Amino acid sequence: MNKLTLNFYNSATLQVAKNLLGKIIHFYGKKIIINETEAYIGQDDPACHAAKGLTARTEVMFGRAGVSYVYLIYGMHYCLNFVTEAENFPAAVLIRGGYCPITNQYINGPGRLCKHLGITKNHNKIDIVNNEHFFLTEGIIVLPEAIHQTSRIGISQGLGACRESI
DNA sequence: GAATAGATCCGC
DNA sequence: CGGATCTATTCA
């Protein structure tokens, strides 16, 4: 199984969000097949954390693609994102749900997904292109007609059609 | 330094 | 539908 390379992430965010469906996240021996993602694109996207500009929190998104962006939300849950596109263009894809082939269970929601894998803010800013414990590989083939595109969930502004799911 | 909103989940 | 519970950002 070959890791996905920088080329995969360094591309249009909406396309990456779509391409991530069916891919496998490897995290210290655990695996998740992605079946739901959301794109957060640039400073013109009001729902994107980086819309307010460069801060200590959002600087990851301004960096190179293929890096993890993990943050704590509502004081309880971690959310896993992968940074996309070129440097100085803040964009990322939120992993909202997946399927765990080890425990045979579906995982809905970014908070539960991180809890399942054991992801915390310690795993923020990890280069997943060159890491041996945390990376992605090709997974199942997803037919384009199997992909649903809807508006994003849990946000109050920027309700674009940026959510991809199988 | 205080207030507040937030890419959520769970239990009632 | 409200509570849990922390962080980044904004305002005084």
Side-chain angles (χ1 to χ4, degrees):
Chain A
M1 285 244 242
N2 293 326
K3 292 179 195 177
L4 299 181
T5 61
L6 180 57
N7 289 341
F8 179 87
Y9 308 98
N10 193 12
S11 163
T13 308
L14 264 180
Q15 198 58 48
V16 177
K18 211 168 289 201
N19 291 343
L20 276 171
L21 298 175
K23 298 294 185 290
I24 301 177
I25 301 175
H26 299 252
F27 187 80
Y28 291 87
K30 299 179 183 172
K31 296 180 176 65
I32 289 282
I33 301 175
I34 301 170
N35 66 9
E36 188 177 342
T37 63
E38 269 178 18
Y40 287 85
I41 311 167
Q43 297 185 277
D44 293 330
D45 179 353
C48 181
H49 285 169
K52 300 271 172 73
L54 179 80
T55 66
R57 180 202 200 181
T58 62
E59 70 167 347
V60 200
M61 286 208 259
F62 286 83
R64 204 203 69 193
V67 176
S68 65
Y69 169 42
V70 180
Y71 67 95
L72 185 64
I73 189 65
Y74 301 126
M76 313 238 354
H77 305 285
Y78 290 101
C79 292
L80 171 64
N81 301 249
F82 296 129
V83 177
T84 61
E85 308 220 23
E87 278 190 52
N88 296 318
F89 187 94
V93 176
L94 170 69
I95 310 303
R96 288 196 57 87
Y99 172 76
C100 178
I102 300 172
T103 60
N104 272 318
Q105 59 183 318
Y106 284 96
I107 298 163
N108 300 314
R112 295 223 302 269
L113 190 141
C114 286
K115 188 183 172 191
H116 182 93
L117 289 177
I119 291 176
T120 71
K121 64 179 175 184
N122 293 334
H123 307 106
N124 191 23
K125 296 188 190 178
I126 291 179
D127 179 359
I128 58 171
V129 175
N130 296 300
N131 192 286
E132 58 177 307
H133 301 295
F134 187 14
F135 57 93
L136 276 75
T137 63
E138 292 290 339
I140 59 175
I141 305 284
V142 179
L143 300 175
E145 53 265 34
I147 299 176
H148 307 289
Q149 186 174 65
T150 61
S151 58
R152 291 177 290 193
I153 290 177
I155 57 175
S156 56
Q157 43 187 338
L159 298 168
C162 295
R163 171 171 171 257
E164 316 286 342
S165 59
I166 307 178

